[in-house]
Amino acid sequence: MSQYPPPGNNPPPGNYGQYPGQPPGGYPPPGGPQYWQESPKSKGLAITALILGILALLSSWTVLGGIGFGLFALILGVIAMVKSRNGSSGGGGMALTGVILGLLGLIIAIVVGVIGWNFFKDNGGSDFLTCVRDAKNDQSKIDQCQQDWNQKIEDKYSVTLTPVPAPTN
């Protein structure tokens, strides 16, 4: 019930009991003014984009994690930003942050993947893959391919990939 009469049915001046007069002391009427309150807007999509963006950045060194999480964060973040601008949902700042983090994770994962692939190719990775393909599921030949490739990397970088077993007493 409102404190004011509906429009068009204004009673004659005076206090008729149905419509209370102004309370003394200039205080607002009991119960306070009636304001319309908007229901809170959903932020689920923006929160999801933010979480996926954080995961993309944290897992960007794994390439697949960075690309997967980054793409989903980017897509969901853009959708959440559009909905936020239309006013149908909230969390525009979280959505933008999710897009930025997802994009960073995606870029880092792509750079790591390109560097890793170039390292693999520059160190005889193509020869290793050809050797494994030609081995045709013969485990002894596949093991020989791996040993040859390991030896090639050990010779090129003067490192030991497989530690020498310690002598037992």
Side-chain angles (χ1 to χ4, degrees):
M1 181 171 144
S2 174
Q3 72 180 27
Y4 302 107
N9 287 339
N10 293 336
N15 190 359
Y16 293 100
Q18 186 178 5
Y19 302 106
Q22 184 70 20
Y27 293 108
Q34 301 295 320
Y35 294 109
W36 177 73
Q37 183 176 0
E38 186 177 328
S39 62
K41 295 181 179 179
S42 170
K43 297 178 186 175
L45 204 57
I47 292 170
T48 304
L50 179 62
I51 290 171
L52 288 174
I54 292 170
L55 289 174
L57 195 59
L58 291 175
S59 66
S60 60
W61 63 274
T62 64
V63 180
L64 291 178
I67 290 175
F69 289 133
L71 281 176
F72 282 119
L74 197 62
I75 292 168
L76 294 178
V78 168
I79 292 170
M81 283 174 46
V82 168
K83 284 186 166 193
S84 176
R85 295 236 171 124
N86 290 342
S88 61
S89 70
M94 286 188 285
L96 178 63
T97 305
V99 166
I100 291 170
L101 292 177
L103 194 58
L104 281 173
L106 190 62
I107 290 169
I108 292 171
I110 290 171
V111 168
V112 167
V114 167
I115 290 172
W117 181 253
N118 284 334
F119 178 81
F120 181 74
K121 283 183 69 176
D122 290 344
N123 291 299
S126 300
D127 297 337
F128 172 70
L129 291 177
T130 302
C131 181
V132 169
R133 185 185 64 227
D134 292 343
K136 298 186 182 188
N137 293 331
D138 183 0
Q139 190 59 44
S140 63
K141 289 182 181 179
I142 293 173
D143 289 342
Q144 185 60 44
C145 293
Q146 184 176 1
Q147 288 174 3
D148 292 344
W149 190 51
N150 285 349
Q151 189 62 46
K152 190 177 208 178
I153 291 176
E154 287 175 359
D155 292 344
K156 185 173 183 177
Y157 294 105
S158 300
V159 295
T160 303
L161 295 178
T162 52
V164 177
T168 57
N169 292 335

